[in-house]
Amino acid sequence: MQLGVIDIGGTFVKYAAVDEEGAFLFHGSVPTEAAKGGEALVAKVQRLCDELMGKVQLDGISISSAGQIDNVNGRVVFATDTLPGYTGTELAQRISAHTGLPAYVENDVNCTALGEYWKGAARGTRDFLCVTIGTGIGGALFLNGELYTGSHFSAGEIGHINLYPNGTLCTCGQSGCYEQYASSLALQRRVTEQFGEGWELKAYFEQVKAGNREAVQLFEHWLDDLTTGLQTLVHLLNPELIVIGGGISAQGDFLQQTVLSSLENKIMPNHRQSLQIKMAEHDNKSNLLGAAKNFLDKSGMEQVSN
Ligand SMILES: [Zn+2]
């Protein structure tokens, strides 16, 4: 089986052809141009499908997308204004009609979790959280061996846990949300405030690791906010693993160790006992792998029920 897989993010749309083992036959990426709106985005995804079908014989299309996704009907149930006009898009139906192929859609962080469960850091793990740290904070709950998506496809919006009542205004309209304090963007803002323009996070982390006192203090403050959010989740769900994805996972062992030691000080003994922290292994390909896994699971289920 060969699948076209597409990952719609706020900045880039990644696309690839993969086989049923998750091997990449081709991959590429183009800018999302989110400001052009939902219709332009659908047309772009349709063109990418055409390109993929021109290169590889495909059996289906599977999409990982930003936003809250009805994964049964492949519909966007909610997207913020970063993707204007995207809410309500019947994505699976539009792509299926365009290509003549079966199409599925799943939320992008859920796809990260599925990709890491299938081929990465969460292989064989029945209860884990996937936390993606980037411009915001995304979450996926993988519980009892499967994704938990809530009563209406919107579980795991952990970026909007309230961390500071009456705090910084958030894109969701509330204030004091977790992602306003513990995302990469939040850290970048604080770094710029303290050290001036031109400090990228990669260079900043070098200063932290080198023991620069000001850099370390700022890092510890951010880490404290990050693990306070995780503390709530660990006590609620008692996972055996937290997989950290997003650009920040490039900080690897350093981040893994600092998050674990900070978090261990905030949780009860039995929750601590079995808890591991790992960085996502497939970086920017997890979502594409997860989309493929979603297709294999969903189409397999249909065959069983038929
Ligand atoms: Zn919020």
Side-chain angles (χ1 to χ4, degrees), residues 171-197:
T171 51
C172 71
Q174 301 298 317
S175 56
C177 291
Y178 185 39
E179 68 179 28
Q180 295 303 320
Y181 298 87
S183 62
S184 302
L185 182 62
L187 179 60
Q188 178 69 66
R189 269 196 225 114
R190 285 192 209 165
V191 168
T192 303
E193 273 168 28
Q194 192 158 334
F195 297 98
E197 298 287 340

mmCIF file of all heavy atoms in Angstrom, residues 171-197:
data_model
loop_
_atom_site.group_PDB
_atom_site.id
_atom_site.type_symbol
_atom_site.label_atom_id
_atom_site.label_comp_id
_atom_site.label_asym_id
_atom_site.label_seq_id
_atom_site.Cartn_x
_atom_site.Cartn_y
_atom_site.Cartn_z
ATOM 1 N N THR A 171 -4.481 33.803 22.707
ATOM 2 C CA THR A 171 -5.171 33.792 21.406
ATOM 3 C C THR A 171 -6.581 33.211 21.514
ATOM 4 O O THR A 171 -7.423 33.456 20.659
ATOM 5 C CB THR A 171 -4.407 32.935 20.382
ATOM 6 O OG1 THR A 171 -4.153 31.653 20.976
ATOM 7 C CG2 THR A 171 -3.084 33.579 19.996
ATOM 8 N N CYS A 172 -6.854 32.428 22.590
ATOM 9 C CA CYS A 172 -8.179 31.807 22.741
ATOM 10 C C CYS A 172 -9.192 32.775 23.344
ATOM 11 O O CYS A 172 -10.363 32.448 23.460
ATOM 12 C CB CYS A 172 -8.084 30.551 23.606
ATOM 13 S SG CYS A 172 -7.776 30.899 25.344
ATOM 14 N N GLY A 173 -8.732 33.958 23.770
ATOM 15 C CA GLY A 173 -9.646 34.942 24.357
ATOM 16 C C GLY A 173 -9.608 34.964 25.878
ATOM 17 O O GLY A 173 -10.108 35.893 26.501
ATOM 18 N N GLN A 174 -9.039 33.925 26.498
ATOM 19 C CA GLN A 174 -8.889 33.902 27.960
ATOM 20 C C GLN A 174 -7.533 34.530 28.312
ATOM 21 O O GLN A 174 -6.767 34.917 27.429
ATOM 22 C CB GLN A 174 -8.949 32.458 28.464
ATOM 23 C CG GLN A 174 -10.230 31.731 28.114
ATOM 24 C CD GLN A 174 -11.462 32.373 28.726
ATOM 25 O OE1 GLN A 174 -11.461 32.774 29.881
ATOM 26 N NE2 GLN A 174 -12.525 32.493 27.940
ATOM 27 N N SER A 175 -7.262 34.600 29.598
ATOM 28 C CA SER A 175 -5.946 35.121 29.977
ATOM 29 C C SER A 175 -5.257 34.169 30.952
ATOM 30 O O SER A 175 -5.915 33.432 31.677
ATOM 31 C CB SER A 175 -6.060 36.518 30.568
ATOM 32 O OG SER A 175 -6.938 36.509 31.653
ATOM 33 N N GLY A 176 -3.931 34.189 30.903
ATOM 34 C CA GLY A 176 -3.138 33.374 31.822
ATOM 35 C C GLY A 176 -2.948 31.937 31.391
ATOM 36 O O GLY A 176 -2.562 31.083 32.200
ATOM 37 N N CYS A 177 -3.203 31.630 30.097
ATOM 38 C CA CYS A 177 -3.075 30.241 29.627
ATOM 39 C C CYS A 177 -1.609 29.767 29.657
ATOM 40 O O CYS A 177 -0.678 30.547 29.445
ATOM 41 C CB CYS A 177 -3.604 30.111 28.209
ATOM 42 S SG CYS A 177 -5.382 30.310 28.082
ATOM 43 N N TYR A 178 -1.478 28.469 29.881
ATOM 44 C CA TYR A 178 -0.185 27.767 29.957
ATOM 45 C C TYR A 178 0.751 28.151 28.813
ATOM 46 O O TYR A 178 1.924 28.453 29.019
ATOM 47 C CB TYR A 178 -0.519 26.278 29.921
ATOM 48 C CG TYR A 178 0.593 25.284 30.099
ATOM 49 C CD1 TYR A 178 1.630 25.480 31.001
ATOM 50 C CD2 TYR A 178 0.555 24.069 29.383
ATOM 51 C CE1 TYR A 178 2.616 24.510 31.176
ATOM 52 C CE2 TYR A 178 1.523 23.097 29.561
ATOM 53 C CZ TYR A 178 2.557 23.326 30.449
ATOM 54 O OH TYR A 178 3.517 22.369 30.620
ATOM 55 N N GLU A 179 0.222 28.159 27.571
ATOM 56 C CA GLU A 179 1.114 28.388 26.430
ATOM 57 C C GLU A 179 1.651 29.812 26.367
ATOM 58 O O GLU A 179 2.655 30.058 25.712
ATOM 59 C CB GLU A 179 0.463 27.987 25.108
ATOM 60 C CG GLU A 179 -0.698 28.834 24.658
ATOM 61 C CD GLU A 179 -1.258 28.340 23.309
ATOM 62 O OE1 GLU A 179 -1.134 27.137 23.010
ATOM 63 O OE2 GLU A 179 -1.810 29.174 22.577
ATOM 64 N N GLN A 180 1.009 30.732 27.083
ATOM 65 C CA GLN A 180 1.541 32.103 27.126
ATOM 66 C C GLN A 180 2.799 32.194 27.987
ATOM 67 O O GLN A 180 3.499 33.203 27.980
ATOM 68 C CB GLN A 180 0.477 33.073 27.647
ATOM 69 C CG GLN A 180 -0.732 33.203 26.733
ATOM 70 C CD GLN A 180 -0.344 33.644 25.327
ATOM 71 O OE1 GLN A 180 0.521 34.503 25.143
ATOM 72 N NE2 GLN A 180 -0.958 33.041 24.325
ATOM 73 N N TYR A 181 3.094 31.120 28.726
ATOM 74 C CA TYR A 181 4.244 31.121 29.644
ATOM 75 C C TYR A 181 5.273 30.035 29.327
ATOM 76 O O TYR A 181 6.459 30.220 29.584
ATOM 77 C CB TYR A 181 3.753 30.945 31.091
ATOM 78 C CG TYR A 181 2.875 32.089 31.499
ATOM 79 C CD1 TYR A 181 1.505 32.065 31.241
ATOM 80 C CD2 TYR A 181 3.430 33.244 32.050
ATOM 81 C CE1 TYR A 181 0.702 33.147 31.554
ATOM 82 C CE2 TYR A 181 2.628 34.331 32.368
ATOM 83 C CZ TYR A 181 1.273 34.277 32.110
ATOM 84 O OH TYR A 181 0.485 35.356 32.407
ATOM 85 N N ALA A 182 4.808 28.904 28.796
ATOM 86 C CA ALA A 182 5.708 27.746 28.697
ATOM 87 C C ALA A 182 5.975 27.291 27.260
ATOM 88 O O ALA A 182 6.648 26.287 27.042
ATOM 89 C CB ALA A 182 5.127 26.584 29.509
ATOM 90 N N SER A 183 5.465 28.033 26.260
ATOM 91 C CA SER A 183 5.768 27.681 24.865
ATOM 92 C C SER A 183 7.171 28.163 24.496
ATOM 93 O O SER A 183 7.792 28.933 25.239
ATOM 94 C CB SER A 183 4.740 28.329 23.936
ATOM 95 O OG SER A 183 4.815 29.738 24.046
ATOM 96 N N SER A 184 7.655 27.723 23.332
ATOM 97 C CA SER A 184 8.936 28.238 22.826
ATOM 98 C C SER A 184 8.836 29.726 22.569
ATOM 99 O O SER A 184 9.773 30.486 22.813
ATOM 100 C CB SER A 184 9.305 27.592 21.487
ATOM 101 O OG SER A 184 9.375 26.225 21.597
ATOM 102 N N LEU A 185 7.669 30.130 22.053
ATOM 103 C CA LEU A 185 7.469 31.551 21.742
ATOM 104 C C LEU A 185 7.540 32.399 23.010
ATOM 105 O O LEU A 185 8.147 33.474 23.018
ATOM 106 C CB LEU A 185 6.109 31.740 21.048
ATOM 107 C CG LEU A 185 5.763 33.164 20.613
ATOM 108 C CD1 LEU A 185 6.759 33.683 19.588
ATOM 109 C CD2 LEU A 185 4.335 33.215 20.039
ATOM 110 N N ALA A 186 6.943 31.874 24.096
ATOM 111 C CA ALA A 186 6.989 32.594 25.368
ATOM 112 C C ALA A 186 8.432 32.725 25.854
ATOM 113 O O ALA A 186 8.850 33.789 26.334
ATOM 114 C CB ALA A 186 6.137 31.877 26.413
ATOM 115 N N LEU A 187 9.198 31.639 25.716
ATOM 116 C CA LEU A 187 10.609 31.688 26.122
ATOM 117 C C LEU A 187 11.371 32.684 25.244
ATOM 118 O O LEU A 187 12.147 33.497 25.747
ATOM 119 C CB LEU A 187 11.225 30.287 26.016
ATOM 120 C CG LEU A 187 12.709 30.183 26.390
ATOM 121 C CD1 LEU A 187 12.959 30.611 27.837
ATOM 122 C CD2 LEU A 187 13.217 28.752 26.172
ATOM 123 N N GLN A 188 11.113 32.613 23.942
ATOM 124 C CA GLN A 188 11.784 33.530 23.012
ATOM 125 C C GLN A 188 11.481 34.998 23.378
ATOM 126 O O GLN A 188 12.370 35.842 23.366
ATOM 127 C CB GLN A 188 11.342 33.232 21.569
ATOM 128 C CG GLN A 188 11.943 34.150 20.511
ATOM 129 C CD GLN A 188 13.441 33.918 20.313
ATOM 130 O OE1 GLN A 188 13.845 32.865 19.863
ATOM 131 N NE2 GLN A 188 14.268 34.899 20.673
ATOM 132 N N ARG A 189 10.221 35.278 23.736
ATOM 133 C CA ARG A 189 9.847 36.640 24.131
ATOM 134 C C ARG A 189 10.657 37.109 25.334
ATOM 135 O O ARG A 189 11.167 38.217 25.365
ATOM 136 C CB ARG A 189 8.356 36.690 24.507
ATOM 137 C CG ARG A 189 7.444 37.035 23.344
ATOM 138 C CD ARG A 189 6.070 37.449 23.899
ATOM 139 N NE ARG A 189 5.017 36.811 23.141
ATOM 140 C CZ ARG A 189 4.180 35.906 23.619
ATOM 141 N NH1 ARG A 189 4.219 35.541 24.879
ATOM 142 N NH2 ARG A 189 3.267 35.362 22.836
ATOM 143 N N ARG A 190 10.788 36.217 26.323
ATOM 144 C CA ARG A 190 11.520 36.591 27.536
ATOM 145 C C ARG A 190 13.007 36.774 27.241
ATOM 146 O O ARG A 190 13.657 37.661 27.795
ATOM 147 C CB ARG A 190 11.360 35.517 28.615
ATOM 148 C CG ARG A 190 10.008 35.533 29.259
ATOM 149 C CD ARG A 190 10.038 34.647 30.504
ATOM 150 N NE ARG A 190 8.736 34.075 30.767
ATOM 151 C CZ ARG A 190 8.527 33.058 31.605
ATOM 152 N NH1 ARG A 190 9.545 32.496 32.223
ATOM 153 N NH2 ARG A 190 7.321 32.606 31.813
ATOM 154 N N VAL A 191 13.539 35.920 26.363
ATOM 155 C CA VAL A 191 14.952 36.026 25.995
ATOM 156 C C VAL A 191 15.194 37.366 25.307
ATOM 157 O O VAL A 191 16.165 38.075 25.610
ATOM 158 C CB VAL A 191 15.370 34.848 25.075
ATOM 159 C CG1 VAL A 191 16.733 35.097 24.446
ATOM 160 C CG2 VAL A 191 15.378 33.540 25.866
ATOM 161 N N THR A 192 14.284 37.732 24.399
ATOM 162 C CA THR A 192 14.434 39.005 23.680
ATOM 163 C C THR A 192 14.330 40.186 24.642
ATOM 164 O O THR A 192 15.118 41.132 24.561
ATOM 165 C CB THR A 192 13.352 39.105 22.568
ATOM 166 O OG1 THR A 192 13.499 37.976 21.706
ATOM 167 C CG2 THR A 192 13.513 40.383 21.757
ATOM 168 N N GLU A 193 13.376 40.099 25.591
ATOM 169 C CA GLU A 193 13.236 41.172 26.587
ATOM 170 C C GLU A 193 14.521 41.369 27.393
ATOM 171 O O GLU A 193 14.942 42.482 27.661
ATOM 172 C CB GLU A 193 12.117 40.828 27.581
ATOM 173 C CG GLU A 193 10.726 41.268 27.136
ATOM 174 C CD GLU A 193 9.649 40.627 28.027
ATOM 175 O OE1 GLU A 193 9.934 40.320 29.216
ATOM 176 O OE2 GLU A 193 8.556 40.414 27.499
ATOM 177 N N GLN A 194 15.128 40.231 27.751
ATOM 178 C CA GLN A 194 16.271 40.314 28.664
ATOM 179 C C GLN A 194 17.606 40.539 27.949
ATOM 180 O O GLN A 194 18.454 41.266 28.449
ATOM 181 C CB GLN A 194 16.339 39.035 29.507
ATOM 182 C CG GLN A 194 17.307 39.163 30.659
ATOM 183 C CD GLN A 194 16.986 38.173 31.765
ATOM 184 O OE1 GLN A 194 15.847 37.734 31.921
ATOM 185 N NE2 GLN A 194 17.993 37.807 32.528
ATOM 186 N N PHE A 195 17.771 39.902 26.795
ATOM 187 C CA PHE A 195 19.086 39.944 26.135
ATOM 188 C C PHE A 195 19.092 40.778 24.857
ATOM 189 O O PHE A 195 20.132 40.962 24.244
ATOM 190 C CB PHE A 195 19.570 38.521 25.818
ATOM 191 C CG PHE A 195 19.777 37.670 27.038
ATOM 192 C CD1 PHE A 195 18.810 36.772 27.445
ATOM 193 C CD2 PHE A 195 20.945 37.783 27.791
ATOM 194 C CE1 PHE A 195 18.990 35.993 28.585
ATOM 195 C CE2 PHE A 195 21.135 37.010 28.925
ATOM 196 C CZ PHE A 195 20.161 36.114 29.319
ATOM 197 N N GLY A 196 17.903 41.245 24.440
ATOM 198 C CA GLY A 196 17.827 42.064 23.233
ATOM 199 C C GLY A 196 17.523 41.240 21.999
ATOM 200 O O GLY A 196 17.481 39.996 22.046
ATOM 201 N N GLU A 197 17.289 41.936 20.894
ATOM 202 C CA GLU A 197 16.955 41.268 19.629
ATOM 203 C C GLU A 197 18.133 40.405 19.150
ATOM 204 O O GLU A 197 19.268 40.655 19.523
ATOM 205 C CB GLU A 197 16.640 42.318 18.547
ATOM 206 C CG GLU A 197 15.448 43.217 18.835
ATOM 207 C CD GLU A 197 14.109 42.517 18.686
ATOM 208 O OE1 GLU A 197 14.059 41.472 18.011
ATOM 209 O OE2 GLU A 197 13.115 43.019 19.272
#
